[in-house]
Amino acid sequence: MTPAVARPMPAGLAWRPDGQVVLSGPLLRLAQACDEAWTVLAGRWPAEPEDHPAMLDAEALQAVDFLTSFPHLATFACGLDPAEENLGEFTTRPLDETGVRLTRLAPVREVLTPAACYHVYVHHRGEALSGPRYVTTRNTCFRRETHYEPLRRQWAFRMREIVCLGDRREVTGFLRAATDLVTALFRELALPVGWAAATDPFFRPTRSPKYLAQRLSPTKHEAAYRDLAIASVNLHEDTFGDAYEITRHGRPATTGCVAFGLERWLYALTDRYGPAPAGWPDVVAAARRVTAVAVAS
Amino acid sequence: MTPAVARPMPAGLAWRPDGQVVLSGPLLRLAQACDEAWTVLAGRWPAEPEDHPAMLDAEALQAVDFLTSFPHLATFACGLDPAEENLGEFTTRPLDETGVRLTRLAPVREVLTPAACYHVYVHHRGEALSGPRYVTTRNTCFRRETHYEPLRRQWAFRMREIVCLGDRREVTGFLRAATDLVTALFRELALPVGWAAATDPFFRPTRSPKYLAQRLSPTKHEAAYRDLAIASVNLHEDTFGDAYEITRHGRPATTGCVAFGLERWLYALTDRYGPAPAGWPDVVAAARRVTAVAVAS
């Protein structure tokens, strides 16, 4: 594949024909610094780090209509039925020119993480919140797309999120403060980024009540570097609180999140500052400065 | 699921019915410390960190007979055929009591990472090495099993590896030194661990020439805490060098690796030192001490 990235390669980037990337050297250190920077931002709130599995129970996801809303995005974790003859049949010719020749699959119950924050809502199922709860989590996320481009649009990519669960006022307050903080970081990094309302990529959007609701009352805002969304701020209202029986003041909790796409930040930073590491900004120091200002104000 | 772990839960551990775990608080910090400790050990060599994708090309894996040797372990990353009618059919009833009701799949070409080091050999395909090359990499690995237990045996788990590619003398020298270094870390941590020859879990082992070769000439040694392997040292001879045309002195390179299982270390450390974080050792400091001694000697 010829990458759409028609510019000198940043030091430490290699890509595979399927658009997935290998990071090493300076670019790997920049990736680690970005994640550390977002963790510094998360420290603006008492955000508890949580480390979640690679996959999610399909039934739990469908409780919020995930499979019917986004069937085209889902990646399923599939294994072969372990019956001896089934495995034996598979091994006679595991591959042909179209790819893997699967034989009978074992029951499929897991979807590879579509967004880091889903785990948080499922994990806190049944909780009665006595105050707003803040969580930060990072995961490898999987989204099928019609085409892939290294760093810009990958089947598998990394995402960190800062999540708030609470009442509507607590969550909208968090989202406003998070938007301001992320905007301040963009300014500190001199990254030209604009916010705009956006919608999730629903299947058959015009037939989806959820898509229509999003169009009427925007609940998703994306921060775009040129044409590329590198962060988003999302208000889920009580969708997750309702589905997973998370309550606040005895009613379904509201949830919201701010999400950062790791590979896309690498694209934006190396596009803005060039492929040579010497020109890259200290993103952790920038995050510390804007967070200190936000905490003091 | 009732976990096999019949002991008080370490602080920060939660598990799901499928045996996968959520880490937070002290246990998440211990996990981060373990990974940092192994990275300190990797610093004993000029090991370059590499960050690899979540999945591997099935054809590249089959070049070393992976699919025919381990069909029962593989997890495939599967998406639905994106044809509108196929997705539409899926959404009419995505789930039943047996799990996800998949409709037609898109061609399957990727296997979720079975071991972190496979990526390294594929990535360095075609290289003519001018000296030994050392790499360290960490990934989430996927292995189907007949049953799962939190921390001890998970479908998805984390693994860090230190890899050497070179001639046979360079690689066996690395493996000896790595075995000594890891043994010194166990001693420093007062973890009772024994090394023993082991074999990979081949499908139909008695019909597999590779299994028989491993039995005749052990190339895998596992370090077990009680009944649980928590690290392994592996000599692949020129299997990967030959398959991926990596050469040293004009001949297929030899490769070897030392591998650490993150969740299993958490099991071992919390079993040895109890569930209370106050009793846990400083694994990073221990790794620094043994690495300093190894470098000086």
Side-chain angles (χ1 to χ4, degrees):
Chain A
M1 187 175 82
T2 307
V5 192
R7 48 176 189 155
M9 290 245 292
L13 175 65
W15 58 77
R16 307 191 315 194
D18 60 6
Q20 296 185 65
V21 300
V22 181
L23 305 179
S24 62
L27 200 64
L28 176 53
R29 289 191 289 277
L30 183 62
Q32 289 160 340
C34 283
D35 192 60
E36 190 182 336
W38 304 326
T39 306
V40 168
L41 300 191
R44 160 81 178 75
W45 298 272
E48 177 75 10
E50 291 183 357
D51 179 75
H52 287 280
M55 29 194 166
L56 262 163
D57 180 58
E59 211 169 314
L61 271 178
Q62 184 54 17
V64 290
D65 299 326
F66 178 83
L67 294 174
T68 34
S69 297
F70 307 108
H72 53 309
L73 301 185
T75 303
F76 301 94
C78 299
L80 298 172
D81 182 321
E84 162 88 15
E85 47 69 40
N86 186 56
L87 296 173
E89 188 194 335
F90 174 78
T91 60
T92 58
R93 194 181 168 208
L95 290 169
D96 66 18
E97 57 293 344
T98 67
V100 178
R101 293 177 72 237
L102 295 174
T103 55
R104 196 172 60 250
L105 295 178
V108 174
R109 301 185 194 282
E110 304 262 353
V111 179
L112 289 158
T113 303
C117 69
Y118 281 112
H119 288 279
V120 174
Y121 315 122
V122 178
H123 181 59
H124 292 280
R125 189 195 289 261
E127 246 178 51
L129 304 168
S130 58
R133 180 189 269 284
Y134 304 94
V135 172
T136 181
T137 192
R138 170 190 157 141
N139 219 320
T140 298
C141 301
F142 295 74
R143 289 192 195 165
R144 298 284 291 167
E145 303 271 3
T146 52
H147 68 286
Y148 302 112
E149 288 174 61
L151 298 185
R152 290 174 54 92
R153 187 170 295 278
Q154 298 183 186
W155 183 358
F157 57 95
R158 269 74 61 96
M159 185 192 292
R160 176 168 291 281
E161 300 204 42
I162 313 169
V163 181
C164 177
L165 305 88
D167 65 26
R168 196 173 194 284
R169 193 181 51 81
E170 290 158 349
V171 173
T172 55
F174 160 76
L175 293 177
R176 266 194 306 274
T179 304
D180 289 347
L181 189 58
V182 176
T183 303
L185 180 59
F186 290 141
R187 198 177 307 124
E188 191 75 16
L189 294 170
L191 266 188
V193 171
W195 289 95
T199 51
D200 288 310
F202 286 91
F203 175 59
R204 291 178 174 162
T206 55
R207 299 194 213 170
S208 163
K210 293 194 170 185
Y211 170 81
L212 298 174
Q214 267 194 352
R215 284 294 299 272
L216 286 170
S217 168
T219 52
K220 181 185 196 71
H221 290 83
E222 287 180 341
Y225 171 80
R226 301 180 186 270
D227 61 335
L228 192 69
I230 64 172
S232 72
V233 166
N234 305 273
L235 174 64
H236 316 119
E237 302 289 0
D238 64 359
T239 300
F240 294 111
D242 189 44
Y244 305 126
E245 298 169 316
I246 307 164
T247 59
R248 175 95 179 95
H249 311 304
R251 286 196 298 276
T254 299
T255 64
C257 67
V258 50
F260 306 95
L262 180 62
E263 288 80 0
R264 290 181 166 191
W265 276 60
L266 297 182
Y267 177 89
L269 288 166
T270 57
D271 185 74
R272 169 74 180 79
Y273 288 102
W280 299 344
D282 183 339
V283 289
V284 177
R288 289 212 179 100
R289 286 193 295 272
V290 300
T291 305
V293 169
V295 170
S297 67
Chain B
M1 187 174 83
T2 306
V5 191
R7 47 174 190 156
M9 289 247 293
L13 176 65
W15 58 76
R16 307 192 313 196
D18 61 4
Q20 296 186 64
V21 299
V22 181
L23 307 178
S24 62
L27 200 63
L28 177 53
R29 289 191 290 276
L30 183 63
Q32 289 160 341
C34 284
D35 192 60
E36 191 183 335
W38 304 327
T39 305
V40 168
L41 300 191
R44 160 82 178 75
W45 298 271
E48 177 76 10
E50 290 183 357
D51 179 74
H52 286 280
M55 30 194 165
L56 262 163
D57 180 59
E59 210 168 314
L61 271 177
Q62 183 55 15
V64 291
D65 299 326
F66 178 83
L67 295 174
T68 34
S69 297
F70 307 108
H72 53 309
L73 301 185
T75 303
F76 301 95
C78 298
L80 298 172
D81 181 322
E84 162 89 14
E85 47 69 41
N86 186 56
L87 296 173
E89 187 194 335
F90 174 78
T91 60
T92 59
R93 195 180 168 208
L95 290 169
D96 66 17
E97 57 294 343
T98 67
V100 178
R101 294 177 73 238
L102 295 173
T103 54
R104 196 171 61 248
L105 295 178
V108 175
R109 300 184 194 283
E110 305 263 353
V111 179
L112 289 158
T113 303
C117 68
Y118 281 112
H119 288 279
V120 175
Y121 316 121
V122 177
H123 180 59
H124 291 279
R125 187 195 288 261
E127 245 178 53
L129 303 168
S130 58
R133 179 189 270 285
Y134 303 93
V135 172
T136 182
T137 193
R138 169 190 158 140
N139 219 320
T140 299
C141 300
F142 295 75
R143 289 192 195 163
R144 298 284 289 167
E145 303 271 2
T146 53
H147 68 286
Y148 302 111
E149 289 174 61
L151 297 184
R152 290 174 53 94
R153 187 170 295 277
Q154 298 183 185
W155 182 359
F157 58 94
R158 269 73 61 95
M159 184 191 295
R160 177 169 289 283
E161 300 204 45
I162 313 170
V163 181
C164 177
L165 307 88
D167 65 28
R168 197 174 193 284
R169 192 182 53 80
E170 288 158 350
V171 174
T172 55
F174 160 76
L175 294 177
R176 267 194 306 274
T179 304
D180 289 348
L181 189 59
V182 176
T183 303
L185 180 59
F186 291 140
R187 198 177 308 124
E188 191 75 15
L189 293 170
L191 266 188
V193 170
W195 290 94
T199 51
D200 289 310
F202 286 91
F203 175 61
R204 290 177 175 163
T206 55
R207 299 193 212 171
S208 163
K210 293 194 171 186
Y211 171 80
L212 299 172
Q214 266 194 351
R215 287 293 300 272
L216 287 169
S217 167
T219 53
K220 181 184 197 73
H221 291 83
E222 287 181 340
Y225 171 80
R226 300 181 188 268
D227 62 335
L228 191 69
I230 64 171
S232 72
V233 166
N234 305 272
L235 173 63
H236 315 120
E237 302 289 1
D238 64 0
T239 299
F240 294 112
D242 189 43
Y244 304 127
E245 298 171 312
I246 307 165
T247 59
R248 175 96 177 96
H249 312 306
R251 286 196 298 277
T254 298
T255 65
C257 67
V258 50
F260 306 94
L262 180 61
E263 288 80 1
R264 290 181 167 192
W265 276 60
L266 298 183
Y267 177 89
L269 288 166
T270 58
D271 185 75
R272 170 73 181 79
Y273 288 102
W280 299 346
D282 183 339
V283 288
V284 177
R288 289 212 180 100
R289 285 192 295 273
V290 300
T291 305
V293 169
V295 169
S297 67

